[in-house]
Amino acid sequence: MNFDHLDIVLTGTGLTAALVAGVFLTFSELVMDALGRLDEPSGIKGMQRINRRVFRTIFLFSALGLVPVMGGLSFISWNQLEGSSRILVIAGSLTYLIGMFGVTMFGNVPMNEKLAQMVPEALDSCEYWHHYLKVWTRWNHIRTVSSFIAGGLYLLAPLAGA
């Protein structure tokens, strides 16, 4: 098996998508559950802090940075790869674009923005918090699965062309 530079980039992209999936899984399985077990104002304050902090993390850079990287790799793959390798890269890119980026921008982010404006101790904030926990986590499950599938497709692409 002879790997070239494109295979190495595809593999790195797949591993990065899998790492993004791992962070999302941690949120779905651990963080949101822990925040949900706190009293409402404490859970809201905790999530508000997390949402402010995420803007200064390598996670956000990695998760969002994969979007243009995958777009470029899809273009390159369309022109340089054949058969199942090409299909795997494009399918992985579309899965990530729709299931991670789309869900983030149209599902999780609007909910985060609404939560950011709330006063944690207010009654309407506490009521929203229960909705937020359930719906935000469902959206996050989609991001988790999409990132994992995209990562897997990217990791298979070099092997399919071998």
Side-chain angles (χ1 to χ4, degrees), residues 1-40:
M1 182 179 303
N2 188 12
F3 281 87
D4 64 12
H5 292 24
L6 180 57
D7 291 338
I8 294 168
V9 173
L10 293 173
T11 301
T13 301
L15 290 172
T16 303
L19 286 170
V20 168
V23 172
F24 287 144
L25 179 63
T26 301
F27 254 84
S28 287
E29 294 294 317
L30 303 173
V31 175
M32 297 309 286
D33 181 66
L35 291 173
R37 293 175 187 270
L38 298 172
D39 61 275
E40 289 90 349

Side-chain angles (χ1 to χ4, degrees), residues 16 19-20 23-24 27 50-68 96 100-101 104-105 108-109 112 136 143:
T16 303
L19 286 170
V20 168
V23 172
F24 287 144
F27 254 84
I50 290 168
N51 286 335
R52 284 191 303 270
R53 174 70 179 107
V54 76
F55 290 108
R56 297 182 307 275
T57 63
I58 194 163
F59 167 73
L60 186 68
F61 175 78
S62 299
L64 296 181
L66 281 177
V67 174
Y96 195 84
M100 193 297 293
F101 185 72
T104 297
M105 293 297 109
N108 297 89
V109 168
N112 290 344
W136 190 98
R143 297 190 305 177

Side-chain angles (χ1 to χ4, degrees), residues 114-134:
K114 182 173 180 177
L115 189 70
Q117 302 304 315
M118 297 191 152
V119 175
E121 293 79 13
L123 182 59
D124 60 333
S125 299
C126 293
E127 291 171 2
Y128 180 70
W129 177 241
H130 294 285
H131 168 79
Y132 180 95
L133 282 170
K134 187 183 339 172

Side-chain angles (χ1 to χ4, degrees), residues 60-77:
L60 186 68
F61 175 78
S62 299
L64 296 181
L66 281 177
V67 174
V69 168
M70 287 182 172
L73 288 171
S74 292
F75 178 78
I76 291 168
S77 297

